[in-house]
Amino acid sequence: LIDTIATGKQFRDICLSPDGTKLVYAANDPVTGTDDIWTIDLNRRVSMRATFSKEMDVWPIWSPDGNSIIYTSQAGKWSLYRKKMSVDGDG
């Protein structure tokens, strides 16, 4: 079964959570012109913004336990960052 979960955004760097219930992805913020990290809860069909940087935040992946997102940001210089996610997957 293929289903539409979201429209109107360009999704990049999509990664499925280890339990298969969430996606993490990078999407462009039209106000800043940079990418930020977002999550989608596939069961609730709710999208939540995880980063709010003025810099590029890209290439997100889930930690093996699904409790954190690791991503790259251009905050000064390209570096890896970890964002702990709450139990329901929201930042």
Side-chain angles (χ1 to χ4, degrees), residues 34-53:
T34 61
D35 287 358
D36 281 297
I37 306 301
W38 290 73
T39 63
I40 295 178
D41 182 308
L42 298 174
N43 295 323
R44 295 185 298 153
R45 296 179 185 267
V46 175
S47 185
M48 297 289 295
R49 190 171 178 169
T51 66
F52 296 84
S53 174

Side-chain angles (χ1 to χ4, degrees), residues 13-24 42 60-63:
D13 311 326
I14 299 167
C15 183
L16 184 64
S17 65
D19 66 4
T21 64
K22 298 175 222 48
L23 292 175
V24 64
L42 298 174
I61 60 169
W62 290 97
S63 62

